C-alpha cells in the first residue's frame, strides 16, 4: 500500500479496480470512483483506516470479498442497484457505519458480510433478498432496528445475528405470521412486527 496517499481520483477509462489495489493505504481519506467502474476486486480497500467517504457508482455490478474490511472510519456506504451479492466480509469491521441500506436488487448477503459493524443502529434490507450467510451481522452490538421488505423470509446461516443486541425486526404486514412460523426466523418471533407506513 501507498501509506502516504491521501486522495485518489480515478480516470473514466478505468473499468475495474484489481485485487488489493489500495490495500493498507493507511492515509487515504477520500476516493472518487468514475461511472465506468463495474467491478472492485477482493480486498481492494482493506484496512484503509482513514477512509471516511467513498461513493460507489451506479455502473458497479461486483464487489469482491473483504473489499472494505477494517475501514473503520467509513461513515456511509451506498450500495448501487447493480449489486446482487454482498460478498464475504465485504464490510467487516466498518465500525463507523450507523445505517446500512441494502437495495432491492441484492439477492444474497454472504458470510460475515457486516461482521463487527458495531456502530450500526439501523439495517434496511430490500425486497429481493433470499439468503443471509453465517455470522453476517455477528457482533453488530448496537443494532436497534432491522427492516426487511422481502415478503418471503430469507434463509439464515449459522449465528447470523449472534451478539447483535435486542433489535426489533420489521417485515411487510402480510408476512408477519410467515416470518414468525419460519424455521429460521421463528426464534426471533417476539421481536417481529409489521412495517408501519
Amino acid at each position: 500500500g501507498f501509506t502516504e496517499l491521501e486522495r485518489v481520483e480515478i480516470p473514466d477509462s478505468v473499468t475495474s479496480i484489481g485485487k488489493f489495489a489500495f490495500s493498507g493505504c493507511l492515509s487515504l481519506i477520500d476516493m472518487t470512483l468514475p461511472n465506468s467502474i463495474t467491478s472492485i476486486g477482493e480486498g481492494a480497500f482493506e484496512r484503509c483506516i482513514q477512509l471516511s467517504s467513498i461513493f460507489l457508482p451506479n455502473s458497479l455490478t461486483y464487489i469482491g470479498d473483504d473489499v472494505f474490511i477494517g475501514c473503520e472510519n467509513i461513515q456511509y456506504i451506498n450500495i448501487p442497484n447493480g449489486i446482487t451479492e454482498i460478498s464475504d466480509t465485504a464490510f467487516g469491521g466498518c465500525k463507523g457505519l450507523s445505517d446500512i441500506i441494502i437495495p432491492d436488487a441484492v439477492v444474497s448477503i454472504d458470510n460475515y458480510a457486516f461482521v463487527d459493524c458495531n456502530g450500526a443502529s439501523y439495517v434496511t434490507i430490500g425486497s429481493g433478498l433470499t439468503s443471509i450467510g453465517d455470522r453476517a451481522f455477528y457482533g453488530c452490538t448496537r443494532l436497534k432496528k432491522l427492516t426487511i421488505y422481502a415478503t418471503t423470509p430469507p434463509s439464515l446461516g449459522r449465528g447470523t445475528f449472534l451478539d447483535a443486541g435486542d433489535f426489533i425486526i420489521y417485515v411487510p404486514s402480510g408476512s408477519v405470521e410467515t416470518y414468525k412460523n419460519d424455521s429460521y426466523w421463528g426464534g426471533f418471533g417476539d421481536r417481529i412486527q409489521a412495517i408501519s407506513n
Side-chain angles (χ1 to χ4, degrees), residues 61-98:
T61 57
Y62 172 80
I63 46 177
D65 293 352
D66 306 333
V67 67
F68 293 106
I69 192 170
C71 291
E72 52 193 52
N73 275 304
I74 288 185
Q75 304 297 310
Y76 170 78
I77 195 88
N78 66 302
I79 297 168
N81 288 319
I83 298 285
T84 56
E85 179 182 3
I86 311 284
S87 303
D88 289 355
T89 332
F91 300 100
C94 290
K95 301 175 192 299
L97 294 178
S98 57

Side-chain angles (χ1 to χ4, degrees), residues 166-197:
D166 297 323
F167 55 96
I168 304 294
I169 301 167
Y170 293 91
V171 303
S173 56
S175 300
V176 171
E177 291 310 310
T178 315
Y179 274 83
K180 285 187 174 186
N181 295 320
D182 182 76
S183 57
Y184 295 101
W185 293 90
F188 301 104
D190 52 344
R191 301 188 196 180
I192 297 170
Q193 300 182 17
I195 295 168
S196 55
N197 294 326

Side-chain angles (χ1 to χ4, degrees), residues 141-152:
T141 50
R142 293 204 183 96
L143 189 57
K144 293 189 181 88
K145 183 175 174 184
L146 172 68
T147 305
I148 307 180
Y149 286 94
T151 51
T152 302

Side-chain angles (χ1 to χ4, degrees), residues 11-191:
D12 287 349
S13 53
V14 176
T15 58
S16 70
I17 293 174
K19 290 182 179 180
F20 309 110
F22 298 95
S23 170
C25 288
L26 304 182
S27 57
L28 185 65
I29 300 167
D30 195 21
M31 186 85 186
T32 305
L33 300 178
N35 255 322
S36 52
I37 301 280
T38 58
S39 73
I40 301 177
E42 175 188 348
F45 296 99
E46 66 171 10
R47 290 178 300 108
C48 289
I49 54 172
Q50 298 299 325
L51 188 63
S52 59
S53 78
I54 184 162
F55 184 79
L56 301 180
N58 284 329
S59 51
L60 193 66
T61 57
Y62 172 80
I63 46 177
D65 293 352
D66 306 333
V67 67
F68 293 106
I69 192 170
C71 291
E72 52 193 52
N73 275 304
I74 288 185
Q75 304 297 310
Y76 170 78
I77 195 88
N78 66 302
I79 297 168
N81 288 319
I83 298 285
T84 56
E85 179 182 3
I86 311 284
S87 303
D88 289 355
T89 332
F91 300 100
C94 290
K95 301 175 192 299
L97 294 178
S98 57
D99 280 4
I100 296 169
I101 299 169
I102 312 287
D104 291 340
V106 173
V107 177
S108 67
I109 296 173
D110 295 349
N111 301 337
Y112 297 92
F114 295 98
V115 66
D116 291 333
C117 286
N118 56 17
S121 299
Y122 304 102
V123 173
T124 305
I125 293 174
S127 59
L129 199 76
T130 61
S131 70
I132 307 179
D134 295 351
R135 301 195 174 203
F137 293 96
Y138 173 67
C140 293
T141 50
R142 293 204 183 96
L143 189 57
K144 293 189 181 88
K145 183 175 174 184
L146 172 68
T147 305
I148 307 180
Y149 286 94
T151 51
T152 302
S155 66
L156 299 180
R158 286 178 307 228
T160 301
F161 297 105
L162 203 61
D163 289 342
D166 297 323
F167 55 96
I168 304 294
I169 301 167
Y170 293 91
V171 303
S173 56
S175 300
V176 171
E177 291 310 310
T178 315
Y179 274 83
K180 285 187 174 186
N181 295 320
D182 182 76
S183 57
Y184 295 101
W185 293 90
F188 301 104
D190 52 344
R191 301 188 196 180

